[in-house]
Amino acid sequence: MGANTAEAAVPDTIQALTDRLTASYANLLTAAIVRDVVQDCYQPLSNARIPTYVPILVEHSSRARLRQLTRRSDPTALLREHSDGTRDHSMTRAYRKVRVALTRSA
């Protein structure tokens, strides 16, 4: 009975985890992206023989992937994606000036 109860509780726990992460990343990522990341992390562990630590492992790997998704290689990328044409141009120009200044000082 204990094993069946634990196996049945994992999907509920995964759903609760998905809801928590969706709320945490609400202003950065869509709910669909968060849900897909959690499901991708849960899928390889869904048939674990001992499901006790599955939710903890899924949460750890999901948070790591979501942090990677929210990081950008270009720090001005978000500004350029959400700005109008004039600001886009000025931000690109400002970014180039900073990049040139950094390469000259190195």
Side-chain angles (χ1 to χ4, degrees):
M1 182 174 159
N4 291 337
T5 305
E7 289 173 7
V10 170
D12 292 336
T13 308
I14 298 302
Q15 183 59 45
L17 170 65
T18 303
D19 295 341
R20 280 196 324 270
L21 291 176
T22 301
S24 295
Y25 288 91
N27 58 348
L28 299 172
L29 298 169
T30 64
I33 291 173
V34 174
R35 184 183 63 242
D36 290 345
V37 167
V38 172
Q39 287 302 317
D40 286 346
C41 293
Y42 173 65
Q43 185 60 35
L45 301 172
S46 64
N47 293 325
R49 291 166 75 195
I50 303 173
T52 305
Y53 299 107
V54 169
I56 295 168
L57 296 170
V58 171
E59 181 171 4
H60 179 73
S61 59
S62 296
R63 285 188 184 276
R65 286 188 188 181
L66 291 169
R67 278 192 302 270
Q68 287 177 347
L69 286 174
T70 58
R71 290 186 184 141
R72 301 280 181 151
S73 61
D74 181 3
T76 62
L78 287 175
L79 291 174
R80 283 188 271 123
E81 288 175 7
H82 299 294
S83 64
D84 59 353
T86 58
R87 185 171 179 188
D88 180 31
H89 182 68
S90 64
M91 285 305 297
T92 304
R93 192 173 1 170
Y95 177 68
R96 285 183 190 149
K97 286 181 182 180
V98 169
R99 189 174 60 193
V100 167
L102 290 174
T103 56
R104 286 186 185 164
S105 64

